[in-house]
Amino acid sequence: MSAGAPHDAGGRGPQTAGSAAGLRASLSGLTTRGRSFLAAGIAAGLCAYVLGQSELLRVGLLLAVLPLLCVLALHRTRHRVSGNRRLTPMRVPAGSEARVQLRLDNTSRMPTGLLMLQDRVPYVLGPRPRFVLDRVEPGGRREVSYRVRSDLRGRYPLGPLQLRLTDPFGLVELTRSFSAYDTLTVIPRTEALPLVRFTGESSGYGDGSRRSLALAGEDDVIPRGYRRGDDLRRVHWRSTARYGELMVRREEQPQRSRATVLLDTRRLAYEGAGPDSAFEWAVSAAASALVHLLEQGFSVRLLTDTGDCVPREGGGFTAGGQESAEAAGLMMDTLAVVGHSDGAGLSRACDAVRSNGAGSGFGGAGGDGLLIAFFGDLDDVQTGLAAKMCRRGGGAVAFVLDSAEWSGRPQGLASVMSQGLPPLEERLAGLRDAGWTALAAPPGTPFGELWRQAGNAPIGTAGGSGSAGGWG
């Protein structure tokens, strides 16, 4: 919600050079009707002088003076109005509507004349809204609203709000602008995903992700003093004997499992543009995966081929509580404006995944991290880099998009090789041999169905075979 400060709609003030400039600006506000009146008055005055007709001179003076009087009246009239805008909601999925409510308050001691209210919006959100407001009494308020909608994700400014003042005859029109504006964030479309469990994955919360503070045995227990109401079965007798007071074991602390969603944004990995392109499908699918994993209690981060990570703080993963909601909003805002990168490879993303897994237990040996990747076209080198991201002890699922299939080109071997790419099945086989659960993402297939297939697919020949069932 943005509020505009009281605005002087008339501009009356001391007669200075600035005031003279304001008067010239008011003269430039003459409408076509006002200019026609002025021209007709001048023409009538000239004809009256040539023909010696005094009556015609009076008519010419009236026609010429009336627009000038209207200019002076609007210039000296001081309307103090304040306006604000309320955007609900400020973050919407592509294809959904947001409601914009405008409010105009007359804070002066005199009523306004006819007002035209106009809000600036980008053309992708629809036509520019205009409202005509009749006389607003002193201290009065007027509220109007309109809706905006975009099929393209992005961040779109709304405003500033413009106010047009007109005289009763329609001879002069002055425009004043407020300074405040709001931003509408259009995030990618998301779809609800089925509950599946990938091979090598532990659940976000619960028994599969609980870690006791005494992982290495009795000697590593961190006890605390006995409190009234503690269960006596949790008394740690060794520590009690050592400290001379009753000590109990701490309760097990839930630890959130981690997941990384990797989005390949390389320009050369995709073809086409628009809402139905392969890249937009990958962005929307990545957003769906992020939302689903967060709902399942995972600590999630978004990673791109450039090595950029969201969130950047807290080890790169979302925390719990309010911080998790803020990080989720930050990731969706990032996906709202993400574009193609000029990078040619996945080396930075590979380094980010491997370096994180080496020190934090994610993706490394014995780690329980889950890696969900969305790849565009992969040549042999990029397939090898993607294979290095898959580490033992963590689930890895890849959805591979083929540009030839999405662009409608023939998919014969000769056509694929002419692009310098191995056939799609060879790319998938290379990922599966490294331990990925790799699936092709053809156009027209709902991501929810691919997600279900990934949950029931065997892991890769190098990482073992077998399938994982549902959460039950």
Side-chain angles (χ1 to χ4, degrees):
M1 177 176 178
S2 296
H7 181 80
D8 189 350
R12 186 176 64 181
Q15 297 299 316
T16 62
S19 178
L23 184 59
R24 287 195 296 270
S26 299
L27 284 172
S28 65
L30 285 171
T31 62
T32 302
R33 181 185 301 178
R35 295 176 188 274
S36 300
F37 268 60
L38 186 60
I42 294 174
L46 292 176
C47 292
Y49 176 77
V50 172
L51 301 176
Q53 299 289 331
S54 59
E55 292 81 1
L56 183 60
L57 180 60
R58 295 190 184 98
V59 173
L61 288 175
L62 176 63
L63 291 176
V65 169
L66 183 60
L68 299 179
L69 289 177
C70 291
V71 168
L72 185 61
L74 278 184
H75 176 70
R76 294 185 61 83
T77 298
R78 185 167 184 169
H79 295 310
R80 291 186 61 83
V81 294
S82 64
N84 62 32
R85 180 190 304 101
R86 177 177 296 172
L87 178 60
T88 310
M90 300 189 69
R91 183 187 292 118
V92 296
S96 299
E97 289 186 342
R99 184 170 180 264
V100 184
Q101 185 174 0
L102 304 176
R103 190 180 75 184
L104 191 71
D105 296 282
N106 182 12
T107 59
S108 63
R109 297 181 179 180
M110 59 183 304
T112 68
L114 188 66
L115 302 178
M116 178 179 289
L117 201 62
Q118 176 177 279
D119 207 9
R120 289 185 178 181
V121 299
Y123 71 93
V124 295
L125 298 182
R128 180 170 295 184
R130 293 182 175 91
F131 305 94
V132 177
L133 304 180
D134 205 350
R135 177 180 179 273
V136 181
E137 65 279 5
R141 174 184 298 176
R142 297 291 185 270
E143 292 186 358
V144 293
S145 64
Y146 64 95
R147 295 185 179 274
V148 290
R149 177 181 180 274
S150 175
D151 292 326
L152 300 175
R153 58 185 176 84
R155 291 173 63 87
Y156 302 101
L158 299 178
L161 192 63
Q162 290 184 332
L163 191 65
R164 288 188 180 181
L165 308 175
T166 61
D167 66 286
F169 303 103
L171 302 179
V172 185
E173 231 179 43
L174 300 181
T175 302
R176 298 291 185 263
S177 296
F178 295 90
S179 58
Y181 69 93
D182 289 277
T183 301
L184 174 67
T185 303
V186 181
I187 62 177
R189 294 185 180 94
T190 59
E191 59 178 294
L193 302 181
L195 291 176
V196 297
R197 183 165 178 174
F198 300 109
T199 303
E201 170 200 346
S202 65
S203 60
Y205 278 120
D207 295 337
S209 63
R210 286 188 177 272
R211 300 291 183 269
S212 172
L213 291 177
L215 291 176
E218 289 288 323
D219 292 337
D220 292 328
V221 171
I222 303 178
R224 63 170 175 83
Y226 176 82
R227 298 172 185 169
R228 185 181 180 87
D230 284 340
D231 191 348
L232 292 177
R233 289 175 295 182
R234 293 198 294 112
V235 173
H236 190 252
W237 298 108
R238 182 177 299 180
S239 298
T240 299
R242 178 182 302 174
Y243 295 105
E245 61 177 314
L246 202 59
M247 307 292 290
V248 296
R249 295 183 178 89
R250 293 180 184 269
E251 296 178 353
E252 291 183 343
Q253 303 295 325
Q255 178 179 339
R256 307 179 82 196
S257 295
R258 293 177 170 181
T260 293
V261 175
L262 171 61
L263 177 63
D264 180 9
T265 64
R266 294 173 298 135
R267 188 182 305 276
L268 52 80
Y270 301 91
E271 292 184 9
D276 298 327
S277 64
F279 181 67
E280 291 301 323
W281 186 95
V283 173
S284 178
S288 300
L290 283 170
V291 171
H292 178 77
L293 293 171
L294 286 169
E295 290 176 350
Q296 299 307 312
F298 281 81
S299 181
V300 185
R301 68 169 178 170
L302 172 66
L303 183 66
T304 65
D305 59 290
T306 61
D308 294 332
C309 180
V310 180
R312 295 181 180 273
E313 299 178 355
F317 291 91
T318 58
Q322 183 65 25
E323 293 80 4
S324 180
E326 294 175 357
L330 179 59
M331 288 187 286
M332 297 305 291
D333 289 346
T334 301
L335 288 177
V337 297
V338 68
H340 289 293
S341 69
D342 295 327
L346 301 172
S347 57
R348 293 183 180 178
C350 181
D351 293 340
V353 171
R354 291 170 64 87
S355 62
N356 184 274
S360 64
F362 167 78
D368 61 349
L370 177 63
L371 177 59
I372 307 293
F374 299 89
F375 293 122
D377 288 334
L378 299 173
D379 56 21
D380 292 333
V381 176
Q382 305 312 316
T383 302
L385 288 173
K388 294 180 181 179
M389 300 182 196
C390 185
R391 307 290 294 273
R392 295 182 180 272
V397 183
F399 300 93
V400 183
L401 291 81
D402 183 61
S403 294
E405 191 173 8
W406 278 84
S407 61
R409 297 199 313 269
Q411 300 180 32
L413 179 61
S415 175
V416 174
M417 296 305 292
S418 65
Q419 303 294 323
L421 300 173
L424 178 59
E425 286 303 323
E426 288 189 12
R427 293 176 244 169
L428 296 176
L431 294 176
R432 290 167 184 162
D433 289 342
W436 286 86
T437 298
L439 285 83
T445 304
F447 179 58
E449 179 60 29
L450 294 178
W451 186 266
R452 187 187 303 275
Q453 294 177 16
N456 296 316
I459 192 169
T461 56
S465 61
S467 61
W471 288 90

